[in-house]
Amino acid sequence: MQPDKKKLKGRGTYTRPKPRYLAHQREAFDDGWYPADAEATAVRTTVTPEYPKTIISSNTSPDIPFDKSINPYRGCEHGCVYCYARPAHAYMDLSPGIDFESRLFVKHNAAELLKEALAKRSYRCSVIAMGANTDPYQPIERQYRVTREIIAVLLACRHPLTIVTKSWLIERDLDLLKPMAEMNLLHVFVSVTSLDHDLTRRLEPRATAPKRRLQTIANLHAAGVPVGVLFAPVIPFINDAEMEQVLRQARAAGAQTADYIMLRLPHEVKQLFREWLQAHAPDKLKRIFTILRDIRNGRENDPRFHSRHTGEGHIAHLIQQRFMLAKRKCGYMAAPALLSTDLFTPPCLPGQQRSLF
């Protein structure tokens, strides 16, 4: 059965794949009391407070340029149907489907935990990334301001930071971002998946519109903030034909660096993306998954380091060559400049005495 497009309006999905780790599973059935699609007609966003014990996540992945990251929120209201972070909601016994974009968690104590972590004698300064899992500037940040509190701590400590976002809301924090940029402590990537307003509205229903993202790039550049464009994900037969145009327009807006990521479909995301194609591009579904299996070594998802971001094989190589050629023609830098780590000053917690040296 194909999903109803009306049910998808304003959300990336309305289905609820079962969390993988639940001991008991539930199955919906129609007992005649309510319409079968009653739950799908409207899903409101709920926000639950969360008080974790740590806030900095560490990784040893050899194919990403950072080993520390911070996520102010769990889940993401942008609702990008392809988001590779969706399966993480299963750790909360929630569905990677509609729950991921409607049942959100806010880490109220993030700034305090960050100060404690940075103040430890064992802490070694290296770039912290925000936006690696969920968007730090998703809509609820307007109310909760956790991202802003985190950036304020990093600025006070002269700590380097990278940010990836799809939201214009980052402009609100230019008063913090500009001084960080002046000290070579910041690099921002704005993700632009497509310049087609209708396609973006269906792929990323609650993210900032494409033209407004280009304006955000321009505004960051005008403020002296190093900014790049991330063309991600590349989806064959959906947005891959726009690659060169996105790079040209982002460069004209002021983007200095550019990168891309091939579509990744881990765990439940495969099912969600297939349902999205059934609703919005059923004639392309078979071709797209054929290409994805070619790119992913015969599988629909390949989690191996290095190949997971770009894929492999002839088609993946062709996309990479197109990207590199467009990047050179547009005059992008080869890579972002290395951020400074030698300015770092640990915070002084209450009752703690600073060193004289």
Side-chain angles (χ1 to χ4, degrees):
M1 182 178 69
Q2 292 189 1
D4 186 345
K5 294 182 182 179
K6 293 181 180 179
K7 295 180 184 179
L8 296 172
K9 185 177 181 181
R11 294 290 185 183
T13 179
Y14 265 99
T15 60
R16 186 172 273 114
K18 300 180 180 65
R20 300 188 303 283
Y21 307 113
L22 278 182
H24 303 282
Q25 302 288 349
R26 298 179 180 179
E27 182 175 349
F29 67 93
D30 181 11
D31 60 3
W33 284 103
Y34 302 100
D37 63 347
E39 185 180 18
T41 56
V43 177
R44 300 183 63 180
T45 299
T46 63
V47 182
T48 303
E50 181 180 355
Y51 295 92
K53 295 182 179 180
T54 61
I55 195 61
I56 298 178
S57 299
S58 300
N59 76 85
T60 57
S61 301
D63 58 347
I64 55 178
F66 58 86
D67 59 6
K68 298 185 181 76
S69 62
I70 293 178
N71 294 297
Y73 305 99
R74 287 185 188 269
C76 186
E77 197 175 5
H78 282 164
C80 306
V81 67
Y82 54 74
C83 182
Y84 62 81
R86 282 181 176 271
H89 238 45
Y91 293 110
M92 307 296 291
D93 288 339
L94 294 173
S95 173
I98 187 61
D99 288 349
F100 178 79
E101 56 193 271
S102 64
R103 299 183 65 175
L104 311 179
F105 296 81
V106 55
K107 301 176 183 180
H108 286 292
N109 61 337
E112 290 75 15
L113 290 175
L114 179 58
K115 289 179 183 178
E116 293 174 6
L118 300 183
K120 292 181 179 178
R121 291 181 179 272
S122 60
Y123 183 79
R124 296 295 179 266
C125 180
S126 63
V127 175
I128 287 178
M130 294 181 71
N133 204 42
T134 58
D135 200 313
Y137 284 102
Q138 60 179 286
I140 60 173
E141 167 63 15
R142 297 170 69 178
Q143 175 183 352
Y144 294 100
R145 302 169 71 87
V146 178
T147 297
R148 181 176 175 84
E149 293 174 359
I150 291 170
I151 294 174
V153 172
L154 295 175
L155 171 59
C157 296
R158 309 297 191 261
H159 195 293
L161 169 69
T162 63
I163 301 174
V164 177
T165 184
K166 292 181 172 75
S167 177
W168 66 271
L169 186 57
I170 191 173
E171 298 173 27
R172 178 202 63 188
D173 294 337
L174 279 174
D175 61 316
L176 302 177
L177 301 178
K178 288 173 64 176
M180 292 192 74
E182 291 169 358
M183 292 182 283
N184 189 34
L185 297 173
L186 178 69
H187 195 280
V188 174
F189 270 99
V190 176
S191 177
V192 181
T193 313
S194 171
L195 298 175
D196 183 329
H197 183 90
D198 183 59
L199 173 60
T200 304
R201 179 178 54 80
R202 289 179 283 137
L203 269 176
E204 308 159 346
R206 299 198 178 191
T208 297
K211 290 184 178 179
R212 186 63 181 87
R213 291 187 220 180
L214 292 176
Q215 185 59 51
T216 295
I217 291 175
N219 293 341
L220 291 170
H221 176 69
V225 175
V227 59
V229 62
L230 183 62
F231 184 64
V234 180
I235 309 175
F237 296 113
I238 296 294
N239 72 336
D240 62 311
E242 295 187 70
M243 178 186 290
E244 290 81 2
Q245 185 182 12
V246 168
L247 292 187
R248 283 195 299 270
Q249 294 203 26
R251 183 72 181 107
Q256 300 159 304
T257 56
D259 208 343
Y260 79 99
I261 298 176
M262 193 67 67
L263 176 68
R264 296 168 58 189
L265 299 177
H267 303 294
E268 296 88 350
V269 183
K270 290 188 285 290
Q271 172 189 338
L272 297 171
F273 187 65
R274 190 182 297 272
E275 290 171 352
W276 184 90
L277 288 175
Q278 288 174 339
H280 296 291
D283 57 321
K284 298 180 180 179
L285 189 153
K286 184 177 180 179
R287 285 184 292 166
I288 289 173
F289 271 88
T290 298
I291 294 297
L292 289 177
R293 283 188 287 270
D294 181 85
I295 290 172
R296 297 300 184 188
N297 195 32
R299 304 163 63 185
E300 292 178 350
N301 184 61
D302 183 1
R304 292 178 300 164
F305 292 136
H306 302 293
S307 68
R308 61 178 177 168
H309 291 149
T310 59
E312 59 183 26
H314 296 298
I315 295 175
H317 180 69
L318 176 62
I319 291 174
Q320 183 182 49
Q321 292 297 101
R322 282 178 53 199
F323 180 84
M324 297 305 297
L325 178 60
K327 187 176 174 179
R328 288 196 299 270
K329 284 185 175 181
C330 292
Y332 282 98
M333 296 169 54
L338 293 177
L339 298 180
S340 175
T341 58
D342 55 7
L343 299 178
F344 173 65
T345 303
C348 186
L349 300 179
Q352 185 180 58
Q353 184 176 350
R354 285 191 181 275
S355 171
L356 294 175
F357 305 98

